[in-house]
Amino acid sequence: MQELVLVQPGQSIERVPTGELERSGTHAEFEARLAECGSLTFRIAQGVLRNAADAEDVAQEALLKAFRSFHRLRDPQRFRAWLVRITFRMALDRSRSAKRREQRETDWSRPAYRPLPPTAEDLAVSCEFQARLESAVAELPEKLRLVLLLSALQGYTLEEVSAMLAIPTGTVKSRLFFARKQLAGKLR
């Protein structure tokens, strides 16, 4: 496992285990470029997130990501822009994630979003619909009803229904289509 110790600009990195950077001879170059613009990552993250703790986390993650992928940087002269882009995108991701989390928590805390328990009227309508559905399914021709029951209600795949009934998969598809079409007509 690689370890990276992030330090203030101007200080040297004391502990960095061997990795791709040391093998490729670019370790010193990364350290020099990081010394020039390392604190920039925190400022960018702070500007996007407006929270020092989250900005520190994002800055650390961005520097670690830059360290791990420095060997893939095509133009080392563009290190500053590359680091800014990494940091900005990571900060935006963190911000969006926090907003989505906050929205989910807010939505579920509102009484309007909580599902209401079913009323007696809802249960009666449900029972009435269930009776109509069973009646409509019973009126279907047997070859259509069987395919519908096996695939839609029992949850078998088309291939499994095909194997059970010893008919081609295309026939299963067409019977299922016509069964649904007839059932929809009967329920209107």
Side-chain angles (χ1 to χ4, degrees):
M1 180 173 184
Q2 292 186 353
E3 179 181 2
L4 174 65
V5 178
L6 301 175
V7 295
Q8 294 296 324
Q11 295 178 345
S12 64
I13 299 175
E14 297 173 15
R15 294 180 291 151
V16 177
T18 58
E20 290 183 23
L21 291 179
E22 290 174 334
R23 282 181 286 214
S24 64
T26 57
H27 177 96
E29 185 179 355
F30 179 80
E31 185 176 336
R33 296 198 184 278
L34 186 60
E36 293 172 7
C37 56
S39 62
L40 181 64
T41 58
F42 175 77
R43 292 193 313 267
I44 291 168
Q46 175 72 22
V48 173
L49 297 171
R50 306 276 188 225
N51 180 335
D54 286 343
E56 287 177 7
D57 290 344
V58 168
Q60 292 280 332
E61 291 172 17
L63 290 174
L64 184 59
K65 185 173 184 175
F67 176 77
R68 288 182 176 156
S69 55
F70 183 70
H71 65 281
R72 292 188 306 219
L73 180 61
R74 291 183 204 149
D75 184 8
Q77 300 303 319
R78 306 251 328 136
F79 178 79
R80 183 182 179 97
W82 179 66
L83 185 61
V84 166
R85 193 168 50 251
I86 289 172
T87 306
F88 185 72
R89 287 180 179 167
M90 291 180 86
L92 278 179
D93 288 346
R94 174 75 63 100
S95 176
R96 290 175 184 151
S97 175
K99 285 179 184 175
R100 285 190 304 264
R101 187 180 326 101
E102 181 181 325
Q103 183 65 39
R104 278 193 310 268
E105 291 169 358
T106 302
D107 286 349
W108 282 104
S109 66
R110 292 185 199 150
Y113 284 95
R114 292 187 189 144
L116 298 173
T119 63
E121 184 178 306
D122 293 338
L123 291 174
V125 169
S126 175
C127 290
E128 181 182 324
F129 178 76
Q130 184 67 30
R132 284 186 58 213
L133 179 63
E134 289 174 4
S135 170
V137 169
E139 293 175 11
L140 290 174
E142 185 171 344
K143 64 182 184 179
L144 300 180
R145 183 176 59 240
L146 187 57
V147 170
L148 181 69
L149 291 174
L150 288 174
S151 67
L153 301 178
Q154 297 296 324
Y156 290 108
T157 65
L158 296 177
E159 291 77 21
E160 291 171 334
V161 173
S162 173
M164 282 185 230
L165 300 178
I167 57 176
T169 305
T171 304
V172 172
K173 289 179 183 179
S174 67
R175 287 183 183 178
L176 185 59
F177 171 79
F178 287 114
R180 288 177 176 163
K181 187 175 180 180
Q182 287 184 20
L183 187 62
K186 293 177 187 292
L187 290 176
R188 283 194 187 113

